[in-house]
Amino acid sequence: MPLPSKTPVLETDRIRLRALTLEDAHDMHEVYSDEVNMEYWGTTATKNIDETRHLVARDIEAAETGLAMFWAIESRETGKVIGKCTLWQYSESNQRAEVGYILNRQYWRMGLMSAALEAMINYAFSELRLHRLEADTDSNNAASLALLEKLGFQREGLFRERWFVNGQRQDSAMLGLLEQDWANRS
């Protein structure tokens, strides 16, 4: 059974997580075309809005077919889309999924991604009844590793030279979060 094809709206005091739409391509282009933003992403920075539209359309199609759930992270103050987060690599039989996220660097270190991931994790464990969430992060991405560990993810392994991005081999730090650890966090 796939993930739900309708992405629910999740809200915090400063952000709204809602289904990603093609109209979000303009705001997402600020994210995807920025080489600093894309340093640890699995693809190179986009060169034009058409490439960004293609990435957004691919995400929407994956969500419509139940392969993933994508949320646009929207500022409640401005209505601007400042990033996205996702649940993908879903396995119903194993009650697990992988998390993914990216944020416009103009909004880094403001607690916004932490809030977005908390809302998404709560949804994953309470509504989807998942047992485990996983994260695959470039082992050099200190900020992402710190964020995941702050949320309770534990480092479980290192996959050496797992990805080939921007002409370089990259190691992958693998982290996991169990539902009972999330429920018992202090």
Side-chain angles (χ1 to χ4, degrees), residues 30-40 44-46 105 166:
E30 286 184 35
V31 177
Y32 287 145
S33 65
D34 183 330
E35 290 186 17
V36 174
N37 251 32
M38 299 298 284
E39 180 178 4
Y40 299 114
T44 59
T46 58
R105 72 177 161 127
N166 295 325

Side-chain angles (χ1 to χ4, degrees), residues 7-19 71-77 85 112 114-123:
T7 302
V9 174
L10 308 174
E11 298 197 52
T12 75
D13 58 338
R14 296 187 295 159
I15 58 170
R16 175 178 297 113
L17 277 63
R18 57 156 177 82
W71 283 271
I73 303 170
E74 181 182 270
S75 165
R76 290 184 67 169
E77 181 180 336
C85 55
L112 297 170
S114 181
L117 291 179
E118 284 180 23
M120 186 178 72
I121 291 167
N122 280 331
Y123 174 80

Side-chain angles (χ1 to χ4, degrees), residues 86-90 96-100 133-136 174:
T86 185
L87 291 172
W88 67 300
Q89 304 286 31
Y90 171 71
R96 61 157 297 281
E98 190 171 321
V99 301
L133 292 173
E134 298 172 354
D136 170 358
M174 301 302 290

